[in-house]
Every structure is written in structure tokens, then in C-alpha cells.
Amino acid sequence: MKLSNCMIAGILLAILSALNGVAAEPPIHHRLMFVEYGKGPNRLLELDAGGKVFWEHQPPSIAVIFEVLRNGNVLYAYGGKPTGVREVTRQGAEVWNYVSKCPQVLGCERLANGNTLVAEQGPCQAVEVSPKREVLRVTPLKTSQESYHLQVRNIHKLANGNILAAHEGEGAVREVDLEGNVVWEYTGVENAGDAQRLPNGNTLISCGTQKRVIEVTPDKKLAWEFRAEDAPELNITWVSSIQRLSNGNLVVGNFLRGQEGKGAHVFEVTRDKKVVWKWDDHSLIKSLTTVRVLD
């Protein structure tokens, strides 16, 4: 049977379409949890992979930082009067609550030993609290910020036992030993919300209103950065949170303060600065602070 030119073209087109279908990568979808904060209500939201609200929780007062625990419960700091740290189930039941004597708590972390690290402000210090709510250790944190509200945000206990703290108001990141002695610091950033020590010994920092994420070496050299200029379409306004995925990509929270309705709330970027996924449902929220992928 002799094939016409039209038939041949049709066959070739079908083959190319099939090859393109095989080669095409499936779209990325993430389950998300985040804190909505700003002009909208202050609440915790969990979205399914389709972007629909799966869970919602109303904290008793201002909350900007949370952690999803291995048991599925959610740990978050609340900064009202009283102030402290709560653990709640996905049904909203409170299973643990530490009430602090300081003016405001906005940062916390559940440690591997079951204790909780509390970032107290006024004075600025890291307090380790047992499951029985006993204060086991108090570590002073150095900062030049006098007003307590911006003294410290995220804190992390490192593998060496030291504490890594992000001092938002001062724009500084410091590692201190358990007595509060500064053993490493990086300054000159703006509204530092989080700092994370990477397996290679470098430190990842969210630089707030500098509109960038940076990775710095132990000797304070810039090893990598992602800036607003690298992806103008995202309208990076305030880098409020960072999460390193198992594939090495970063999930970045973009606090759209003063830019509500424009740009992405959260995005995923590769090490070669390729944005592979973003979420920007402005009909659902105005702005967010901490965001985590739960996949």
C-alpha cells in the first residue's frame, strides 16, 4: 500500500506527540501547611495537593512560626497575653502547653529528646522545657535589638549542642554555646526570619526584606544566593521562611506585606535557580509567614 504525503505526515505527527507525552514531566503538586498573617486572619491552614483547605486552626493570639511533628500534631508559638508554645492535634485538641513569663514568644522547636526549645523575647533567651513543662536550661542570646517583639525568631539546636538563632530586628544570625557565648555570627541581613545549618557546614539564611535567600560558609563567604532579580515574576517581597527538601530544592515563603494580591506566596527553586513550582491563590489568603511542604 502506497502512503500519501498526508498520511506520512499524520503518522510522524502521532509519533512526535507520543514521544512528547513520554518526555513531558508531570506537574508538581504539594500538600502545604502555612500560617496566614498580615491583613488577613491569623490562622494555620493545611491544603491538599489540589489546593483545597484540608485543615484550619485558629491560634489564641499572634502566631507566625510552627512545626509539624512526627506524630502529626502541630507545634506553634503564640505571642499574646499569656504567651507560650502549644501542641495541638489535627482535631484541634490541645495536648501540651507551656506558658512563658516573658513578654512574647514567637519561635520554638521540638527537640529529638522530646523537650521543646522556646525562643523568649524580653530578655532574649533560649529556654529548654521538658514535656512536664519544667525549665531545664536557659541560654542567653545576644542581640542589640532592645524592643522585645523583634529580638528573635526561629531557633534551632545543632548537632554539636549549640543553638543557632535568627535575630530579625538586628538582621543577624548567631550560633551560641549553651552558656550564651557567641561562636559564630553573620550580620548585615534584614529581617532574618530563619537560619539553618546544612549538612555541609554552611548556613542557609532567609534575608527578609533584602528579598533573597543566601548560603554562607563557616568563614562567612557567600556560597549561593537567590534574589528577587532571579525571578521577577514571583514579586519576592519578604523572604519569611525556608525549607530544604530531600532533593536539595528549597521551598521559600514570600510574605507579601504591602504587596497583597501580587506574586507568589510560596515557590520551589532548584540549586541552579530554576523555579519549578509556585502557589499564588490570592483569593484564599492575603499573605503568609512560615510555610511547609508536607509531601
Side-chain angles (χ1 to χ4, degrees), residues 2 21 30 72-73 125 137 163 180 210 212 220 231 246-247 263 266:
K2 187 176 180 179
H30 286 310
N73 293 348
Q125 56 191 18
R137 182 185 295 274
I163 294 171
Q210 281 183 342
R212 61 179 185 147
K220 306 178 186 180
S246 57
N247 62 5
V266 54

Side-chain angles (χ1 to χ4, degrees), residues 56-265:
E56 181 174 346
H57 176 75
Q58 185 71 51
S61 57
I62 174 178
V64 294
I65 293 170
F66 72 90
E67 177 185 354
V68 181
L69 304 178
R70 291 188 177 184
N71 61 9
N73 293 348
V74 180
L75 185 78
Y76 65 87
Y78 57 95
K81 296 181 180 180
T83 185
V85 178
R86 296 179 80 201
E87 178 185 344
V88 297
T89 67
R90 294 300 181 85
Q91 291 73 41
E94 180 181 286
V95 297
W96 189 81
N97 184 25
Y98 169 74
V99 177
S100 173
K101 296 179 181 179
C102 77
Q104 190 177 60
V105 175
L106 290 177
C108 60
E109 180 182 60
R110 178 60 53 82
L111 303 179
N113 61 7
N115 296 338
T116 302
L117 199 61
V118 179
E120 292 192 340
Q121 306 186 115
C124 187
Q125 56 191 18
V127 179
E128 186 169 341
V129 181
S130 75
K132 295 181 179 180
R133 304 173 185 84
E134 302 166 325
V135 174
L136 303 178
R137 182 185 295 274
V138 176
T139 299
L141 301 174
K142 178 186 176 184
T143 180
S144 62
Q145 179 71 30
E146 295 182 2
S147 174
Y148 64 80
H149 175 63
L150 295 174
Q151 285 184 340
V152 60
R153 285 295 176 265
N154 270 292
I155 54 175
H156 303 289
K157 195 163 190 177
L158 303 178
N160 62 8
N162 292 346
I163 294 171
L164 187 67
H167 301 282
E168 181 173 342
E170 185 182 352
V173 172
R174 291 190 176 92
E175 177 185 346
V176 301
D177 62 23
L178 293 181
E179 284 69 47
N181 300 307
V182 177
V183 298
W184 185 86
E185 67 177 357
Y186 190 87
T187 59
V189 296
E190 295 176 1
N191 303 105
D194 196 8
Q196 300 171 15
R197 184 62 46 81
L198 299 176
N200 63 4
N202 293 348
T203 302
L204 198 65
I205 303 172
S206 63
C207 298
T209 49
Q210 281 183 342
K211 305 179 182 183
R212 61 179 185 147
V213 181
I214 63 174
E215 178 183 334
V216 296
T217 64
D219 57 356
K220 306 178 186 180
K221 293 181 180 179
L222 188 65
W224 182 87
E225 70 175 333
F226 185 80
R227 306 176 64 91
E229 294 85 349
D230 294 318
E233 70 278 7
L234 298 175
N235 188 31
I236 297 176
T237 302
W238 184 317
V239 177
S240 55
S241 73
I242 42 178
Q243 177 187 10
R244 185 173 180 268
L245 302 182
S246 57
N247 62 5
N249 292 353
L250 297 181
V251 173
V252 181
N254 182 25
F255 179 35
L256 293 171
R257 186 170 189 170
Q259 291 287 310
E260 291 83 359
K262 306 173 186 177
H265 294 294

